[in-house]
């Protein structure tokens, strides 16, 4: 705990609001450029694997899994374990891995501890080599899962679904793709992920740049030299490079660029909060002695999740011990320090705020301690509450600004002004560059169908966009009334566990496998949630504390709070179980183990 001077709560609130206000833009999400269909669509091309011509597929499968990332892989593995063999994965990438297929930028690593983030460790026997594994190891693990569970059989890579329609006559889904496929699937699970469509800032002149440029999720190692494993990027040794953006991606790749480039200019609109990472190799002797036992990963998963719950049944042990559990521990400590008679919601929120201020003061002090140039250190300080933006953790990021060739171009919230044929204009100055790297993130605020690239048409011609026009509606975040034999894979309306997204899939995958096994064993053709069960689930969800996004309205803009614009229709439904993630997982386990699958109709 900090021993620094007492924190002036009011002064911080005022500063945070002022920093937010200068960043709010009326165009919100429209400030970004959608690449599909524009002259810049080549930014989306796969630089890692060639697209191989193939014949269209027109057969039938039992299950189609849209998305070969963690959601699809975990669900596929659980289905195979349940004896459902005829499973086909479809993905626009050239292999398994989802985000880890695309994001191969130097320094990419998981942000949540590998022992809980990497799925199916016990099943595959893989022990992560580091507390926070790097991207090549996670990609390799994805391939391991694909091979071990037979998910490569029939998989369609470099393939994008363009249409998904329910055929009520035959009780099947018709799946159409951009490769001319038109096949049927009795069941479909959609694990399309939230952050998979790269976006660029919609800057004037973005077409005009005559140097080289790419987005971080399509890293061009042919140009930079080096490789995803950290090989030196010798191609940049004589280059002036600019990187636009300082979010979680930039924080991980900037240290590598700072070492490799002749000159690096980092164009910053809003600094990230960057706390200690403390990564280290796994001590295998410790793992074998103290961790490895049947059920170890499930134990770690539950421990990590339970340590972050705000209830009072917190495990004595904290197995992961990282920034996420530290954050939760501090908040709990503050709240528990209140005398019982003062434990009102207002005082609890104030205790939460105090704990946040204390943490952010520590993070700001860290910038001063690490960065030699006082002005740069000042400009790297984040003035918002820690959960306003994705919290970052890194041991080399701040040090990168001590490299003689690295310059932080802080724009005081205004961002880059425009792009020219020579480079980037910011703060009224033109920076001539050989290469621009866009670390500008992914589409979030766009509508689901256009982001996914396909619409889902259910029973009676009802589309998912229509069914969810005023917000998502489901049972458990998985089943949707009007869309038989369809399963949604995502955190919302389930556990809504954001600090470790794969844990959501571990539980929903197991649940879907049980439901399908039951349908197959009893000769049912259709599974659908009843309207009443779906309504009851939504009613339960709305009893909770509400969408965290509401609490972010005072935050600096970003994709967490719809770029500071009013939240869209149905935002209050993007929530999880009112009693928190662990309560949901326990409930779901009981629900599936009962074998009754209350709320579902089998036909
Ligand atoms: P983000 O959306 O978080 O960051 C985009 C960056 O671009 C921001 O710094 C943004 O500034 C900046 N930007 C946008 N427009 C301009 C402009 N005109 N001028 C200057 N800067 C601009 O994308 P990331 O790819 O960094 O991260 C996306 C998400 O992916 C993360 O939040 C995280 O969930 C995930 N991720 C996870 C990792 C992991 O688990 N290991 C690693 C990396 C990412 P501003 O903040 O002002 O909008």
């Amino acid at each position: 705990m900090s021993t620094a001077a007492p924190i002036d709560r009011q002064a911080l609130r005022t500063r945070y609001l002022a920093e937010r206000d200068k960043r709010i833009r009326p165009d919100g999400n429209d400030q970004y450029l959608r690449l599909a269909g524009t002259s810049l669509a080549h930014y989306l091309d796969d630089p890692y694997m060639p697209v191989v011509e193939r014949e269209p597929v027109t057969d039938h499968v039992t299950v189609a899994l849209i998305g070969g990332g963690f959601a699809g892989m975990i669900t596929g593995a659980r289905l195979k374990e349940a004896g459902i063999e005829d499973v086909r994965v479809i993905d626009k990438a050239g292999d398994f891995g989802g985000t880890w297929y695309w994001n191969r930028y130097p320094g990419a690593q998981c942000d949540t501890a590998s022992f809980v983030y990497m799925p199916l460790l016990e099943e595959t026997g893989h022990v992560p080599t580091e507390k926070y594994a790097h991207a090549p190891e996670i990609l390799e693990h994805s391939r391991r899962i694909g091979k071990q569970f037979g998910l490569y059989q029939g998989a369609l890579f470099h393939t994008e679904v363009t249409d998904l329609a329910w055929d009520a006559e035959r009780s099947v889904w018709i799946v159409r793709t951009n490769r001319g496929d038109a096949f049927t699937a009795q069941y479909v699970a959609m694990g399309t992920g939230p952050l998979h469509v790269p976006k660029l800032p919609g800057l004037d002149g973005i077409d005009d740049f005559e140097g080289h440029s790419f987005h971080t999720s399509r890293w061009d190692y042919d140009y930079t030299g080096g490789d995803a494993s950290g090989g030196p990027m010798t191609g940049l040794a004589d280059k002036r490079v600019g990187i636009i953006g300082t979010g979680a991606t930039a924080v991980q790749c900037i240290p590598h660029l700072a070492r490799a480039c002749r000159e690096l200019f980092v164009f910053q609109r809003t600094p990230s909060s960057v706390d200690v990472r403390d990564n280290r190799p796994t001590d295998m002797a410790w793992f074998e002695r103290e961790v490895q036992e049947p059920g170890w990963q499930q134990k770690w998963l539950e421990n990590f999740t339970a340590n972050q719950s705000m209830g009072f049944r917190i495990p004595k042990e904290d197995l992961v011990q990282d920034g996420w559990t530290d954050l939760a521990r501090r908040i709990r400590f503050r709240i528990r320090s209140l005398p019982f008679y003062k434990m009102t919601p207002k005082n609890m929120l104030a205790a939460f705020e105090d704990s946040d201020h204390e943490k952010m003061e520590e993070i700001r002090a860290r910038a001063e301690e690490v960065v030699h140039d006082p002005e740069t250190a000042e400009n790297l300080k984040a003035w918002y509450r820690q959960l306003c933006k994705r919290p970052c953790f890194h041991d080399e990021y701040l040090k990168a600004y001590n490299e003689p060739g690295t310059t932080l171009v802080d724009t005081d919230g205004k961002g880059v002004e425009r792009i020219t044929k020579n480079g980037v204009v910011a703060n009224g100055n033109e920076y001539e560059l050989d290469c621009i790297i866009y670390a500008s993130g992914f589409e979030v605020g766009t509508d689901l169908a256009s982001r996914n690239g396909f619409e889902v048409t259910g029973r009676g011609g009802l589309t998912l966009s229509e069914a969810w026009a005023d917000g998502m509606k489901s049972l458990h975040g998985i089943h949707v009334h009007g869309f038989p034999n369809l399963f949604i894979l995502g955190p919302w309306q389930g556990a809504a566990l954001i600090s470790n997204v794969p844990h959501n899939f571990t539980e929903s995958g197991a649940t879907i496998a049980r439901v399908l096994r039951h349908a197959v064993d009893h000769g049912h053709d259709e599974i659908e949630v009843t309207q009443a069960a779906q309504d009851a689930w939504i009613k339960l969800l709305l009893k909770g504390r509400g969408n965290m996004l509401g609490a972010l309205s005072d935050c600096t803009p970003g994709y967490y709070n719809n770029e500071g614009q009013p939240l869209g229709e149905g935002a209050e439904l993007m929530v999880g179980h009112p009693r928190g993630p662990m309560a949901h997982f326990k409930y779901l386990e009981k629900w599936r183990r009962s074998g009754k699958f209350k709320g579902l109709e089998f036909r």
Side-chain angles (χ1 to χ4, degrees):
M1 294 281 154
S2 168
T3 52
I7 289 164
D8 183 341
R9 197 193 277 171
Q10 196 48 49
L12 277 180
R13 280 185 190 158
T14 307
R15 172 90 198 246
Y16 287 4
L17 286 177
E19 293 289 336
R20 179 204 64 174
D21 289 349
K22 70 182 171 200
R23 288 175 171 83
I24 293 280
R25 303 170 45 135
D27 51 358
N29 276 306
D30 293 338
Q31 69 182 282
Y32 295 107
L33 188 67
R34 278 213 89 186
L35 295 168
T38 72
S39 60
L40 298 173
H42 59 272
Y43 277 89
L44 302 171
D45 291 348
D46 182 349
Y48 313 121
M49 287 173 80
V51 177
V52 178
E53 284 304 314
R54 64 167 175 80
E55 290 299 310
V57 170
T58 54
D59 57 359
H60 174 81
V61 290
T62 307
V63 186
L65 289 172
I66 306 179
F70 280 2
M73 286 189 298
I74 296 170
T75 308
R78 293 291 178 237
L79 289 171
K80 294 271 181 162
E81 282 176 343
I84 294 162
E85 289 296 330
D86 187 20
V87 173
R88 167 174 294 154
V89 171
I90 306 117
D91 200 300
K92 67 180 170 187
D95 203 341
F96 285 107
T99 198
W100 300 102
Y101 177 87
W102 295 110
N103 287 282
R104 302 186 192 195
Y105 58 82
Q109 66 184 129
C110 58
D111 248 353
T112 301
S114 326
F115 278 24
V116 291
Y117 179 77
M118 290 172 72
L120 302 163
L121 289 176
E122 212 174 330
E123 290 84 343
T124 55
H126 179 69
V127 182
T129 60
E130 298 177 279
K131 183 159 182 183
Y132 301 93
H134 279 78
E137 180 172 340
I138 307 177
L139 181 57
E140 197 44 47
H141 185 58
S142 304
R143 293 181 178 134
R144 181 179 297 115
I145 293 169
K147 281 182 204 143
Q148 178 165 331
F149 291 95
L151 297 173
Y152 277 98
Q153 282 156 28
L156 300 176
F157 290 118
H158 281 146
T159 301
E160 294 181 46
V161 172
T162 50
D163 186 50
L164 189 59
W166 176 246
D167 179 338
E169 295 281 302
R170 294 184 286 164
S171 297
V172 292
W173 286 97
I174 302 170
V175 187
R176 292 199 167 80
T177 78
N178 66 340
R179 306 292 297 268
D181 308 309
F183 62 92
T184 53
Q186 188 171 4
Y187 302 99
V188 172
M190 267 173 46
T192 46
L195 296 163
H196 63 101
V197 182
K199 68 180 191 222
L200 299 187
L203 297 167
D204 281 348
I206 201 158
D207 260 336
D208 301 340
F209 183 55
E210 290 178 355
H212 199 73
S213 60
F214 55 88
H215 186 273
T216 47
S217 67
R218 307 288 190 271
W219 197 271
D220 189 351
Y221 283 106
D222 286 344
Y223 178 82
T224 63
D227 54 45
S229 310
M233 293 185 283
T234 48
L236 299 179
D238 59 350
K239 301 287 190 300
R240 278 167 68 93
V241 176
I243 179 163
I244 298 180
T246 48
T249 298
V251 164
Q252 292 186 334
C253 68
I254 282 171
H256 295 259
L257 288 169
R259 282 195 291 273
C261 302
R262 177 162 69 90
E263 281 183 276
L264 175 68
F265 296 89
V266 180
F267 296 96
Q268 173 178 273
R269 189 164 67 178
T270 310
S272 280
S273 74
V274 187
D275 204 355
V276 175
R277 169 80 302 164
D278 198 17
N279 193 21
R280 51 183 175 266
T282 303
D283 174 347
M284 291 306 285
W286 161 79
F287 176 80
E288 282 162 20
R289 196 177 58 243
E290 294 189 25
V291 180
Q292 198 169 34
E293 57 174 348
W296 76 262
Q297 195 180 23
Q298 189 63 23
K299 176 176 153 191
W300 275 63
L301 281 171
E302 292 182 9
N303 182 268
F304 181 69
T305 302
N307 262 291
Q308 286 174 76
S309 98
M310 283 301 137
F312 284 80
R313 256 191 267 150
I314 308 300
K316 288 200 178 71
E317 247 180 331
D318 175 1
L319 295 169
V320 167
Q321 295 197 36
D322 71 353
W324 293 109
T325 56
D326 175 58
L327 185 68
R329 196 167 39 244
R330 280 165 182 263
I331 298 167
R332 273 201 307 274
F333 173 80
R334 284 269 179 180
I335 291 175
R336 282 177 173 179
S337 306
L338 291 169
F340 188 68
Y341 71 94
K342 283 196 170 172
M343 277 208 194
T344 60
K346 191 171 161 229
N347 287 340
M348 281 156 83
L349 281 175
F352 181 9
E353 187 183 7
D354 286 344
S355 144
D356 194 302
H357 287 337
E358 178 187 89
K359 180 82 240 179
M360 289 302 284
E361 288 284 278
E362 284 177 25
I363 293 174
R364 287 187 283 266
R366 188 169 176 248
E368 259 172 56
E369 281 155 27
V370 177
V371 180
H372 299 159
D373 174 50
E375 193 186 337
T376 305
E378 198 54 37
N379 287 334
L380 286 165
K381 291 181 182 172
W383 296 100
Y384 45 80
R385 288 182 64 168
Q386 195 183 17
L387 295 178
C388 280
K389 282 190 179 281
R390 173 83 180 196
C392 297
F393 306 91
H394 210 284
D395 296 333
E396 309 297 325
Y397 175 70
L398 294 169
K399 286 185 200 158
Y401 294 95
N402 296 334
E403 291 282 343
T406 301
T407 306
L408 177 71
V409 183
D410 180 59
T411 60
D412 194 26
K414 290 187 277 299
V416 160
E417 283 162 35
R418 62 179 193 280
I419 307 289
T420 66
K421 71 182 175 55
N422 301 317
V424 167
V425 178
N427 301 333
N429 301 317
E430 183 176 24
Y431 293 81
E432 288 192 15
L433 300 168
D434 298 301
C435 176
I436 301 175
I437 301 172
Y438 292 99
S440 44
F442 302 87
E443 283 186 27
V444 176
T446 49
D447 76 276
L448 184 70
S450 70
R451 197 160 66 244
N452 280 342
F454 65 93
E455 183 55 276
V456 185
T457 309
R459 203 158 30 78
L462 181 76
T463 66
L464 197 56
S465 300
E466 288 162 352
W468 288 358
D470 54 359
M472 177 178 179
K473 286 176 205 87
S474 74
L475 174 70
H476 305 158
I478 299 175
H479 314 272
V480 186
H481 183 67
F483 297 82
N485 296 5
L486 180 76
F487 307 99
I488 308 290
L489 311 176
W492 303 120
Q493 302 195 353
L497 178 66
I498 298 307
S499 58
N500 189 20
V501 172
H503 192 180
N504 299 279
F505 305 140
T506 302
E507 299 301 328
S508 57
T511 306
I512 292 166
R514 279 246 178 178
V515 168
L516 247 84
R517 187 69 257 170
H518 178 85
V520 170
D521 289 348
H522 293 81
H524 300 299
D525 291 332
E526 291 187 15
I527 306 165
E528 188 177 346
V529 57
T530 64
Q531 184 71 58
Q534 181 170 290
D535 291 348
W537 185 250
I538 297 297
K539 205 168 155 197
L540 174 82
L541 295 177
L542 291 174
K543 281 192 185 146
R545 273 168 295 186
N547 189 329
M548 187 186 133
L549 295 175
L552 298 180
S553 57
D554 284 352
C555 282
T556 190
Y559 79 84
Y560 274 19
N561 69 347
N562 196 30
E563 300 294 337
Q565 298 300 316
L567 299 177
E569 190 85 62
E572 73 283 3
L573 293 166
M574 303 307 269
V575 288
H577 193 290
R579 284 190 291 115
M582 252 346 275
H584 179 73
F585 290 146
K586 290 290 165 206
Y587 157 80
L588 198 62
E589 188 188 7
K590 223 169 139 190
W591 183 87
R592 67 174 176 259
R593 280 189 190 282
S594 76
K596 296 194 177 85
F597 311 110
K598 197 162 167 253
L600 296 188
E601 196 173 81
F602 292 84
R603 299 187 283 258

